[in-house]
Amino acid sequence: MKVFAELVRRNIFRVALLYVASAWLVLEILSLGVDYAGLPSWIYRFAVALGIICFPLAMVFSWLFEITPEGLVRETKVEPSRSITVRTGRKLLRLAILCVLGVAGLNLLRFGLDAWIG
């Protein structure tokens, strides 16, 4: 149970949520570009592969570092009394929600374009 508590304290799950939500947003934007702007389809496949490859790296990075007012600092060098992981976690969650709302907005745009173009 100690490992789970440490994962929560270091915001690993919130970073994962933000990563997935932002990747979803990027893929939706690229999908619009492929469908309506004539971008080559390999760009979309490349972005999917890159997102999958970089996910474990993002998780390791979020385990090793903490966001502080001074910037990114190695987690072991942050004093527990000066840690702002709770505030950072709230910000990560808000950003993830914004990304999901962006995806919803892009899907509404897609439906509108489909109805308009026919």
Side-chain angles (χ1 to χ4, degrees), residues 33-54:
V34 167
D35 292 345
Y36 299 107
L39 294 176
S41 61
W42 66 264
I43 292 174
Y44 186 84
R45 290 190 305 271
F46 178 76
V48 169
L50 190 63
I52 291 169
I53 291 168
C54 290

Side-chain angles (χ1 to χ4, degrees), residues 9-28:
R9 188 188 72 76
R10 293 187 188 201
N11 290 315
I12 301 295
F13 298 117
R14 290 184 181 195
V15 169
L17 178 66
L18 177 59
Y19 188 93
V20 170
S22 60
W24 187 15
L25 180 61
V26 168
L27 291 176
E28 286 294 325

